[in-house]
């Protein structure tokens, strides 16, 4: 929460539950956690159990590759 992150473009076909992503929701851009996946959609939420809802995969713009300078495991393999 409020930690500096590094973002990179993401191949949305490689997303998995638990990934942290940069996503557009109702015209605004946020960093959220992937909670579930459907064919063309991603369910996003926060680390406290909150669910924000479903958004199209094409609204997912990036993946968090580092938090506070520390590499996020597995994220580098999903960079476009």
């Amino acid at each position: 929460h409020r930690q500096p992150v590094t973002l990179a473009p993401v191949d949305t076909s490689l997303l998995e539950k638990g990934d942290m992503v940069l996503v557009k929701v109702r015209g605004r851009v946020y960093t959220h956690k992937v909670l579930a996946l459907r064919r063309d959609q991603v369910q996003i939420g926060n680390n406290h159990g909150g669910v924000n809802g479903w958004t199209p995969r094409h609204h997912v713009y990036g993946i968090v590759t580092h938090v506070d300078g520390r590499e996020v495991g597995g994220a580098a393999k999903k960079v476009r």
Side-chain angles (χ1 to χ4, degrees):
H1 180 69
R2 302 215 184 259
Q3 294 170 296
V5 298
T6 302
L7 298 162
V10 65
D11 179 344
T12 60
S13 70
L14 301 176
L15 289 175
E16 298 176 283
K17 184 177 175 181
D19 286 338
M20 298 300 295
V21 295
L22 183 70
V23 60
K24 182 178 175 182
V25 179
R26 294 185 201 104
R28 300 184 88 180
V29 179
Y30 301 96
T31 307
H32 276 300
K33 185 176 184 177
V34 174
L35 302 178
L37 299 156
R38 290 183 186 161
R39 182 177 164 194
D40 296 333
Q41 295 181 315
V42 177
Q43 186 182 50
I44 55 169
N46 61 37
N47 284 332
H48 305 289
V51 177
N52 294 90
W54 292 93
T55 193
R57 281 186 191 247
H58 68 270
H59 282 185
V60 179
Y61 300 131
I63 189 165
V64 175
T65 60
H66 294 78
V67 176
D68 258 344
R70 293 190 175 115
E71 189 173 349
V72 175
K77 293 183 271 182
K78 299 170 188 173
V79 172
R80 198 169 16 106

